[in-house]
Amino acid sequence: MSDVELGPEDAYVVQPVPGMGPLAQAWLTEPDWRDPLVRRRVLPPGGVSAYVPMRDAWPVRSLRWLPRNDGRDPGRPTILILTGRADFAEKYCETLHDLTEAGWGVAIFDWRGQGLSRRLGKTPQHGASPGFGVWLDDLKQMLEWAAVDGPVHVLAHSMGGHLLLRHLAAGGAHVARAVVLAPMVGLASASLFARLLTALQMLRGRGSDYVIGGGPWRQGMAGDRRQTMLTSDPERYGDESWWIGQFPSLALGSVTWGWLDDAMASIAALNGRGVAQAITTPLLALLPTRDALVDSAATRALIKRVPGAQFVDYPGAGHELLREAEPLRSQVLARALDFLDLGS
């Protein structure tokens, strides 16, 4: 990992996945993989990292761990993790350990414009959008990248869940089974006033500016409002700030008016007539009931229109189900893997 922006010439330079940042090298030399803190702050061994060039040469940072095959079984397939807005691969460190130790192959990448992929916007902190159609094209290419040994299972959170649902409705190439967690089917803040204000700001040419109340990334503190929206676990909440302390380039600020305008247009497309009904991939949706970012009621309504799809509610859970407190987090992951196991 590096704080230096990489260009297309660096793409496909495959390197071992580094476990932790320079500030932590003296902290840990012999990892105890049973230690919860280690599992959240040291990436699993054995992975490789590379920058994959998109069709327009935009470099997207990827990480991959191959399925484990101990000779007694053919090994499990690969799970591709699709992250949410402003996420980065390290936020899923604990889940990466869980999956690789269970024998799954795992692939994950940072969306164009966030994490250690090349940034968008007028500064690296502005949470801009290239257009959701561009992200859908990137998703198609990253599914091709992940599916080297056949179709993959997908575990997708929030914005990643939204983009996956749109991909599935368009045919779902390379996806065998899918689990979406708190998918962005609707925005909790998308009131009529918010939609009108967004339209006005776009007319004024303010699409590249932060939305009202937004700004650069700020370090979270245990008990703050953002923590209560995301997770009831203050220790897991603190991991994001720890990783950004190691690699400041991971930080991303709030969305811009342009991102919000694009998101609302893409949500409208996803909820269009016949779209959900076109999804034929086996699908499970896991929904937190205490989600202040996305509209879980809108997700339930959409999932009911998908033939054969299932959903499970998690009372009291925040937006980031895979960073919730125990035993809830383990229950969520077990439910997801039980569903994916049916197709392996």
Side-chain angles (χ1 to χ4, degrees):
M1 283 184 269
S2 170
D3 284 346
V4 178
E5 181 140 323
L6 299 179
E9 66 276 8
D10 300 290
Y12 287 125
V13 176
V14 178
Q15 306 173 34
V17 169
M20 53 193 166
L23 299 179
Q25 296 295 337
W27 169 57
L28 193 62
T29 55
E30 294 292 333
D32 178 359
W33 300 116
R34 299 165 298 177
D35 186 323
L37 190 63
V38 172
R39 295 173 71 83
R40 302 198 312 269
R41 297 188 178 181
V42 183
L43 290 168
V48 295
S49 175
Y51 278 80
V52 180
M54 297 297 93
R55 290 180 176 85
D56 61 356
W58 198 281
V60 166
R61 178 250 196 157
S62 70
L63 298 89
R64 187 203 295 268
W65 288 260
L66 295 176
R68 187 182 68 223
N69 185 351
D70 59 10
R72 292 174 296 182
D73 59 58
R76 282 177 154 157
T78 292
I79 295 177
L80 175 64
I81 298 176
L82 302 182
T83 68
R85 194 208 79 82
D87 277 354
F88 45 85
E90 286 77 5
K91 282 184 66 173
Y92 295 79
C93 188
E94 186 175 15
T95 299
L96 294 171
H97 277 282
D98 292 332
L99 298 181
T100 56
E101 289 169 5
W104 297 93
V106 186
I108 189 169
F109 64 93
D110 293 343
W111 291 105
R112 176 191 299 242
Q114 60 189 54
L116 293 182
S117 293
R118 179 173 287 174
R119 290 298 174 92
L120 302 157
K122 59 184 181 181
T123 75
Q125 282 286 316
H126 280 75
S129 162
F132 275 57
V134 174
W135 275 323
L136 283 168
D137 287 341
D138 290 352
L139 175 56
K140 291 176 188 176
Q141 187 166 345
M142 294 310 294
L143 280 164
E144 293 170 4
W145 163 80
V148 290
D149 295 319
V152 297
H153 297 326
V154 182
L155 195 62
H157 170 65
S158 195
M159 188 185 83
H162 168 91
L163 290 164
L164 177 64
L165 289 170
R166 289 202 61 190
H167 174 78
L168 296 180
H174 304 295
V175 181
R177 300 179 74 83
V179 177
V180 290
L181 304 98
M184 194 181 75
V185 174
L187 295 173
S189 60
S191 63
L192 176 60
F193 174 75
R195 295 195 297 271
L196 291 173
L197 181 58
T198 302
L200 175 62
Q201 296 292 71
M202 295 301 293
L203 286 173
R204 295 177 62 203
R206 305 294 295 275
S208 63
D209 293 346
Y210 290 121
V211 297
I212 292 175
W217 179 82
R218 290 174 292 185
Q219 180 172 341
M221 303 296 292
D224 64 20
R225 181 174 178 272
R226 185 169 179 268
Q227 185 217 305
T228 60
M229 289 194 301
L230 298 181
T231 172
S232 61
D233 190 324
E235 293 185 1
R236 285 188 171 103
Y237 178 66
D239 294 332
E240 177 183 26
S241 293
W242 185 87
W243 278 108
I244 291 174
Q246 301 292 296
F247 300 99
S249 289
L250 293 171
L252 182 65
S254 66
V255 301
T256 61
W257 292 110
W259 184 96
L260 188 56
D261 187 59
D262 287 346
M264 290 191 292
S266 190
I267 286 169
L270 175 61
N271 285 284
R273 180 178 297 178
V275 175
Q277 290 86 340
I279 296 175
T280 59
T281 305
L283 177 66
L284 170 67
L286 305 180
L287 311 178
T289 63
R290 193 174 50 81
D291 197 332
L293 295 178
V294 304
D295 185 347
S296 293
T299 302
R300 288 186 205 97
L302 181 131
I303 296 300
K304 288 177 181 178
R305 295 162 49 200
V306 177
Q310 309 169 38
F311 68 85
V312 180
D313 286 323
Y314 288 91
H319 181 62
E320 295 189 337
L321 286 167
L322 290 176
R323 296 209 301 152
E324 258 294 355
E326 296 296 348
L328 177 56
R329 178 195 173 271
S330 292
Q331 293 168 354
V332 167
L333 185 60
R335 182 68 182 85
L337 295 183
D338 284 347
F339 181 81
L340 297 180
D341 249 339
L342 293 173
S344 61

